[in-house]
Amino acid sequence: QLLRTQLEEHDIVLTSQALESATRGLIEDHTRGRILTARIDGELVGVAVISFLWTLEHGGPAAWLDEVYVDPARRGHGIGRQLIEAAMQVARDNGCIALDLEVDPGHEAAERIYERMDFKRHRRVRWVRMLDR
């Protein structure tokens, strides 16, 4: 549900079936990436998703921090930072030399976290085109 809420907040339209298939693909094949969770007293309060890739820009293996989401009632207590640190460690453990991410406009709090963690802003703008299957 946390991932569904995250996508909805970013106006990303994805069917429940597509989200389930995508998450199952990460769970069943760890060469694709990982889903990391944060729990407090057994309650799921945060999630981070990373995908592995190979890029010339970084000279080899890298990871894409696809999603980070913390329940709004739990924000401000370092959970997001812990999820990001865990994602960086998983990426390192899998031979990655960089971790890329994007931040939507209007998410200045997230930008401040990434800046404090020594992430650097790219000069480029990301584009996408969905491919016909």
Side-chain angles (χ1 to χ4, degrees), residues 36-51:
L36 310 172
T37 60
R39 294 180 181 274
I40 296 177
D41 297 327
E43 177 190 357
L44 184 63
V45 297
V47 63
V49 178
I50 62 172
S51 297

